[in-house]
Amino acid sequence: QTAGPMMAECVLKAGIVLSVVKFAHIITETHGSREQRTTNAMPYPENVSLEEQVAIKREYTKKQFGATMMAVFPGSAAFAATFAFAPLYAIQAAPFMMTLVRKGKCGSLAYHCVYATCLTYPVCLYHVFVRRGNFFFVDVAIGAVYMLTYNLRIHRRWTNEILWSVIVPLVVTVWIYIPQLEEALVPVTMRSNLYFGLWLVLVGREVFHHARTFAPFFSKKSFSENDSKTRLPTCKNHSHDFLRRMCMHARTHASIPDSGAFKSPSARI
């Protein structure tokens, strides 16, 4: 790909990402909350400590950066579209599982297990179905950009506008030029063993990291404990509390005796 089309692709994709970031900021400021968000507001099983919750939320954040990077991958239409839509599993699963938790159909443990699985799916799709177990230097470079993105945003506190103005052209450039450098610099006889070693180290590290981060969800205590305490309040409970407050207010001002009808959510009115 020549410099002209590559530059146009960088500008177009960066413009789309920055536009979405701007619209999301406007919607959040107008209708949303910066504290009560999907992953921040979700309760955790009782056996998950605060330190473990921080590590899990950090992993969720990393995967969200990776989803944006996948959306700007260059290449053929089939390849680019596959990875642009791969993160949608997690994006759609999060509100669906949140709805089930709010309605009391499942606990927070089920939410986190499904959400973590959907976040990990694009990585499996890439290494298993696209690369088919092969590994290339561009994969190492993309992984480095992935970690760089997280560090610049979380630790260096770069703004979204500056961050994606730098990262989107970097992703496109790395994806196009690293394979060309690889062809020119790495002898053919060394590639198979070298690629296998890289694949074994980096993919093995990723699997170990995921297993260690999400291990609290799969402990015996998580499955044995009653997870109902971590469910979010349902609309039925909100309605009952409202009616009870109204009746208490009426009894206070009208001296109505307490019949005890509203002491239990299951009581009939």
Side-chain angles (χ1 to χ4, degrees):
Q1 188 172 359
T2 59
M6 188 188 74
M7 184 61 65
E9 183 175 359
C10 292
V11 172
L12 178 61
K13 290 183 175 180
I16 293 174
V17 171
L18 293 176
S19 298
V20 172
V21 168
K22 184 63 177 179
F23 284 130
H25 176 75
I26 294 173
I27 293 171
T28 301
E29 291 291 332
T30 306
H31 304 286
S33 170
R34 290 188 174 275
E35 289 77 26
Q36 297 298 319
R37 299 190 177 188
T38 302
T39 53
N40 291 343
M42 176 55 61
Y44 286 77
E46 293 181 352
N47 68 296
V48 181
S49 66
L50 292 178
E51 292 79 9
E52 291 169 338
Q53 291 182 27
V54 171
I56 292 167
K57 289 180 180 179
R58 187 183 300 121
E59 194 63 30
Y60 289 163
T61 303
K62 286 182 183 178
K63 294 296 185 292
Q64 291 168 2
F65 287 120
T68 304
M69 289 178 57
M70 282 187 172
V72 300
F73 276 1
S76 64
F79 178 86
T82 297
F83 285 100
F85 286 95
L88 286 180
Y89 287 98
I91 294 172
Q92 295 297 322
F96 174 70
M97 293 302 298
M98 175 73 81
T99 301
L100 294 183
V101 174
R102 288 186 182 278
K103 290 182 178 294
K105 302 299 182 182
C106 69
S108 61
L109 176 62
Y111 169 89
H112 288 288
C113 289
V114 172
Y115 187 54
T117 301
C118 291
L119 286 173
T120 309
Y121 161 73
V123 179
C124 299
L125 174 69
Y126 181 83
H127 289 293
V128 177
F129 296 103
V130 176
R131 290 302 195 192
R132 299 184 183 276
N134 297 316
F135 212 80
F136 301 94
F137 283 160
V138 67
D139 302 324
V140 181
I142 289 295
V145 175
Y146 168 58
M147 294 305 300
L148 176 65
T149 305
Y150 174 81
N151 289 325
L152 291 178
R153 178 67 180 128
I154 301 302
H155 299 299
R156 301 295 181 180
R157 310 303 300 174
W158 282 27
T159 64
N160 281 318
E161 291 76 12
I162 297 176
L163 177 72
W164 294 113
S165 297
V166 173
I167 295 300
V168 172
L170 184 60
V171 169
V172 176
T173 303
V174 165
W175 195 267
I176 292 174
Y177 283 109
I178 290 296
Q180 298 179 12
L181 293 175
E182 187 176 345
E183 288 287 336
L185 299 178
V186 181
V188 178
T189 55
M190 294 179 54
R191 290 177 187 173
S192 59
N193 293 332
L194 186 61
Y195 292 157
F196 179 76
L198 287 172
W199 181 86
L200 192 63
V201 171
L202 295 178
V203 175
R205 178 186 177 278
E206 189 73 10
V207 171
F208 175 77
H209 177 70
H210 280 80
R212 183 180 60 181
T213 302
F214 297 117
F217 291 147
F218 301 98
S219 65
K220 292 182 179 180
K221 189 175 180 180
S222 292
F223 288 103
S224 61
E225 72 180 2
N226 183 4
D227 200 35
S228 61
K229 295 180 180 180
T230 61
R231 291 175 181 171
L232 296 180
T234 62
C235 296
K236 181 179 178 180
N237 292 336
H238 283 309
S239 300
H240 173 266
D241 292 341
F242 173 75
L243 290 174
R244 184 177 181 180
R245 286 196 300 269
M246 290 292 292
C247 291
M248 291 177 62
H249 178 77
R251 286 197 300 270
T252 301
H253 292 277
S255 300
I256 299 176
D258 188 357
S259 63
F262 293 93
K263 290 184 178 180
S264 171
S266 60
R268 295 182 180 273
I269 300 174

